[in-house]
Amino acid sequence: MNKRITRVLRLLFVFLCMNLVWYIVYLLMNHPILPSPGSVYKAMFQLEGREVLLNVGYSLLRILEGVLLALVIGLLIGLLMGRSPLWNKLLDPVVYLTYPIPKIALLPVVMLFFGLGETSKVLMIMLILLFQIIISVRDGVKAIPENTYDVLTSIGAGTVQKFWNVTLPGALSVILSTIRISLGTAISVLFFTEIYGTEHGMGYFIMDAWLRLDYPEMYAGIMLFSLVGFVLFLLVDLLDYKFMKWRR
């Protein structure tokens, strides 16, 4: 409990320091393009609650759909490559040739094939995460010592029990680490996808405020978008705390 309180206090301290730096820069610039922290927070609390919930809800739904889709596909392919040398030889060149492609560059292609609607937005998030999950899961599964499975075999454990007690925990650790690292990129991509073909989402909200030259509202939108990312990071930490107790 003391560690949690210490962590919360440390986060609050850093947050206050960031606001202090923001205020100092605001005083030095003295320009409308950078409003004061107070005016931004005031604009944030003056936002219509239904509009904020609608935009945040759309963004969160797109992120969760993309992450879940990437997890399902990436977990299956990563496990297959990690446990089967044959499939690893077949799929390894494909993964390594496609992984270096900057996924944000595929945004126009995805929109051409799938339109400007929800599908293209979710697919872009999925593409950002997919290859990282595949590689992480494959490497995590391959790193599990074979004698771990031998121990379970000796006590009569079946394939499902081996998967549930050894393979999945070994893969889950690297999955959570990969998601934690990739979420920031996924949220950034979501911002670009929400600029086009939609009237809902935090990306649309921020750009709409920018076009109206409403800078306090624009920064309020950025802070709300950052809050979405922060909540998702906390969710991953919660999953890590619940399922990775053996690491502590």
Side-chain angles (χ1 to χ4, degrees):
M1 182 63 69
N2 290 333
K3 290 183 178 180
R4 294 183 187 177
I5 295 175
T6 302
R7 187 180 183 187
V8 170
L9 291 176
R10 187 165 61 244
L11 288 172
L12 287 174
F13 175 74
V14 172
F15 178 74
L16 291 174
C17 289
M18 292 173 64
N19 279 270
L20 179 60
V21 173
W22 178 3
Y23 185 71
I24 293 172
V25 176
Y26 157 75
L27 293 177
L28 293 174
M29 286 189 61
N30 192 26
H31 197 282
I33 62 173
L34 182 64
S36 67
S39 61
V40 172
Y41 292 129
K42 182 180 178 181
M44 186 185 301
F45 287 110
Q46 287 178 344
L47 294 174
E48 185 180 346
R50 183 179 178 277
E51 181 185 6
V52 171
L53 290 176
L54 187 65
N55 287 306
V56 170
Y58 267 90
S59 294
L60 268 177
L61 183 61
R62 289 160 183 159
I63 293 172
L64 293 177
E65 287 177 349
V67 170
L68 288 175
L69 190 60
L71 278 175
V72 172
I73 299 174
L75 183 60
L76 291 174
I77 297 176
L79 290 172
L80 187 64
M81 293 176 67
R83 294 301 299 160
S84 172
L86 175 61
W87 280 105
N88 187 52
K89 288 181 181 179
L90 291 174
L91 297 176
D92 186 71
V94 178
V95 172
Y96 274 89
L97 284 174
T98 53
Y99 178 69
I101 298 174
K103 306 305 180 294
I104 191 64
L106 296 177
L107 178 59
V109 179
V110 172
M111 287 184 170
L112 281 174
F113 278 90
F114 298 97
L116 302 178
E118 297 298 309
T119 303
S120 61
K121 296 171 176 55
V122 174
L123 282 178
M124 282 304 303
I125 296 173
M126 185 270 289
L127 286 172
I128 289 293
L129 299 175
L130 178 62
F131 293 96
Q132 295 173 336
I133 292 176
I134 290 174
I135 294 174
S136 297
V137 171
R138 184 205 60 181
D139 292 346
V141 171
K142 289 175 70 175
I144 299 173
E146 285 297 326
N147 57 12
T148 307
Y149 294 98
D150 295 338
V151 172
L152 290 178
T153 302
S154 67
I155 61 175
T159 303
V160 175
Q161 290 173 313
K162 292 177 183 178
F163 171 80
W164 188 257
N165 292 286
V166 178
T167 307
L168 185 59
L172 188 59
S173 175
V174 293
I175 287 173
L176 292 175
S177 298
T178 302
I179 292 176
R180 189 180 286 110
I181 295 170
S182 304
L183 269 177
T185 308
I187 293 172
S188 300
V189 172
L190 178 66
F191 172 80
F192 284 104
T193 61
E194 287 183 336
I195 296 174
Y196 306 100
T198 183
E199 294 182 355
H200 302 292
M202 291 309 300
Y204 168 81
F205 179 87
I206 293 168
M207 291 302 296
D208 179 65
W210 175 64
L211 291 172
R212 292 185 284 105
L213 303 182
D214 190 341
Y215 296 120
E217 188 171 300
M218 181 189 75
Y219 282 97
I222 293 173
M223 295 198 67
L224 285 172
F225 209 11
S226 302
L227 182 61
V228 170
F230 180 69
V231 170
L232 291 174
F233 267 75
L234 289 180
L235 180 60
V236 175
D237 284 342
L238 180 62
L239 293 174
D240 188 286
Y241 179 80
K242 183 174 179 60
F243 295 108
M244 296 289 104
K245 294 180 180 179
W246 55 270
R247 292 204 298 190
R248 299 192 296 275

